[in-house]
Structure formats: structure tokens, C-alpha cells
Amino acid sequence: YERMMEEKGYQLEIPTPVRTWLLEQGYSPAYGAREMKRTVERKLKKPLARFLLEEAGTRSACLTAVVTENEEICFTGPGGAS
């Protein structure tokens, strides 16, 4: 994903609170790392792909992942625009 982002001119910043939230969402003693992989796919990668498709004409040097009040991840560019 990092390579694709760099090729398109983006950098992705995932702050510690977002990483912690992903860990909390993906933790499953019964399923181990497999559940974490699914959580990252569902909660981070799919919304990121959707964002990139919707914002195809715009480029931002750095995107920052943010957890919303609705328990979803959204992405902001410089100045907080999403």
C-alpha cells in the first residue's frame, strides 16, 4: 500500500490514537493475527481506497487517518480537509 501511495504522490500518517483504536478493534484471543488483518482491511484499507477514488483529481502531500465519532476512519489533508 505504501508503494501505491507514494506513486500517487501521497504519504499516509497513522497517529498513535488511530493505531491504538485499530488494535482494540482487531484484538481477538480466539482468532489471533487473522482478525487483525481483517480489521485493517475493513477499517483502514477499504476506506482509504474509497477516499483515493473519490479524490482522484486532487493530490495532497500527506494524508492523516482520523477516527470519527461514528467509529470509522476518515482521512484529512493539510489544514484538516477530508
Side-chain angles (χ1 to χ4, degrees), residues 2 5 10-19 22 44 48 61-67 73-78:
E2 282 183 43
M5 296 284 293
Y10 293 100
Q11 288 181 318
L12 178 61
E13 181 180 332
I14 305 173
T16 301
V18 176
R19 292 172 190 260
L22 282 168
L44 181 68
L48 178 59
C62 183
L63 298 176
T64 302
V66 178
V67 178
I73 293 180
C74 70
F75 301 92
T76 63

Side-chain angles (χ1 to χ4, degrees), residues 11-82:
Q11 288 181 318
L12 178 61
E13 181 180 332
I14 305 173
T16 301
V18 176
R19 292 172 190 260
T20 301
W21 181 82
L22 282 168
L23 285 171
E24 291 169 355
Q25 296 294 308
Y27 177 74
S28 171
Y31 298 108
R34 286 175 286 165
E35 186 60 27
M36 179 57 70
K37 183 177 178 179
R38 285 187 214 114
T39 298
V40 169
E41 180 73 30
R42 191 174 61 251
K43 301 281 188 176
L44 181 68
K45 288 185 175 182
K46 285 183 180 182
L48 178 59
R50 208 172 309 121
F51 175 85
L52 292 174
L53 286 172
E54 291 171 359
E55 304 293 324
T58 60
R59 291 191 179 242
S60 176
C62 183
L63 298 176
T64 302
V66 178
V67 178
T68 68
E69 292 177 7
N70 297 336
E71 298 280 313
E72 297 175 349
I73 293 180
C74 70
F75 301 92
T76 63
S82 61

